[in-house]
Amino acid sequence: EDQVTQSPEALRLQEGESSSLNCSYTVSGLRGLFWYRQDPGKGPEFLFTLYSAGEEKEKERLKATLTKKESFLHITAPKPEDSATYLCAVQAPLIQGAQKLVFGQGTRLTINP
Amino acid sequence: SQTIHQWPATLVQPVGSPLSLECTVEGTSNPNLYWYRQAAGRGLQLLFYSVGIGQISSEVPQNLSASRPQDRQFILSSKKLLLSDSGFYLCAWSVPSSGAKKLFFGSGTQLSVL
């Protein structure tokens, strides 16, 4: 069964304090790994897609990396506006051409000024 | 550009009452459509998906149903709500593809069943 586990559940950082969020996964043949950002009461907002081990993608203060078993979301010199829940998801086998994303529980990140 | 609309944003319903949540997508044709539920402290759970008009597939047995009466319209329904139906409901769409494609989510509906 495809599974995604994110750690830690919650993380508090001071502004400017860099850190990493972890996403461990088990899937029968990885087709893609996705990172989303979700603000309270809002729908998830797409950040990155990673397709193969060794791949990296960056956007502003965020960098996502991928290995064969896990992905990391590195946050460099975060600001209070980076506070959100970060969700990781893997693409499970397609179902009739539809995407089936299996999500982790998320990491709730708080950046204190 | 493509946009997804989901309403209402918040809903409080008594147990046993009916439910209808609506989602529409603009700016694309023949999208794949999805309903997810997010319970407090838990990950997003896929409820239904649709690859075309009238084609609905359910991922988990439950008290809910879905319909797709038009290409870009997706409706989530229940005849009688249960307390356990409370949660944050998200509609999403993706382009039909044989590869991994990202999902675009709506703004969600917070449903409280009392």
Side-chain angles (χ1 to χ4, degrees), chain A residues 37-45 85 87 103, chain B residues 6-11 19 21 34-47 62 64 76 81-92 105-113:
Chain A
R37 169 192 169 126
Q38 185 175 25
D39 292 309
K42 302 276 185 70
E45 177 185 336
T85 296
L87 302 173
F103 283 85
Chain B
Q6 189 179 342
W7 67 93
T10 306
L11 193 59
L19 172 73
L21 303 181
Y34 311 82
W35 279 110
Y36 278 83
R37 178 170 59 201
Q38 187 174 35
R42 299 182 62 182
L44 276 71
Q45 180 186 35
L46 179 62
L47 303 176
Q62 58 208 312
L64 303 169
L76 183 69
L81 284 168
L82 305 172
L83 287 174
S84 57
D85 292 324
S86 294
F88 191 52
Y89 288 83
L90 289 157
C91 180
F105 287 89
S107 52
T109 295
Q110 184 64 54
L111 173 66
S112 298
V113 183

Side-chain angles (χ1 to χ4, degrees), chain A residues 31-34 36 38 41-46 49 51 87 91 94-106, chain B residues 32 34 36 38 41-44 46 49 51 57 59 88 90 94-107:
Chain A
R31 292 159 181 77
L33 184 141
F34 301 82
Y36 284 84
Q38 185 175 25
K42 302 276 185 70
E45 177 185 336
F46 171 77
T49 307
Y51 293 100
L87 302 173
Q91 171 64 57
L94 291 171
I95 38 178
Q96 302 178 14
Q99 309 289 315
K100 180 178 180 180
L101 297 192
V102 177
F103 283 85
Q105 318 94 299
Chain B
N32 290 335
Y34 311 82
Y36 278 83
Q38 187 174 35
R42 299 182 62 182
L44 276 71
L46 179 62
Y49 64 92
V51 297
S57 296
E59 278 291 286
F88 191 52
L90 289 157
S94 71
V95 296
S97 172
S98 58
K101 293 294 181 183
K102 61 190 175 189
L103 266 60
F104 298 90
F105 287 89
S107 52

Side-chain angles (χ1 to χ4, degrees), chain B residues 14-31:
Chain B
V15 170
S17 64
L19 172 73
S20 180
L21 303 181
E22 189 163 340
C23 170
T24 59
V25 180
E26 295 179 356
T28 187
S29 297
N30 195 32

Side-chain angles (χ1 to χ4, degrees), chain B residues 48-89:
Chain B
F48 299 95
Y49 64 92
S50 172
V51 297
I53 296 174
Q55 301 180 61
I56 308 296
S57 296
S58 174
E59 278 291 286
V60 294
Q62 58 208 312
N63 184 43
L64 303 169
S65 62
S67 61
R68 185 171 176 173
Q70 300 181 44
D71 180 46
R72 290 169 287 177
Q73 183 184 27
F74 207 23
I75 298 172
L76 183 69
S77 304
S78 174
K79 292 182 179 179
K80 289 186 178 181
L81 284 168
L82 305 172
L83 287 174
S84 57
D85 292 324
S86 294
F88 191 52
Y89 288 83

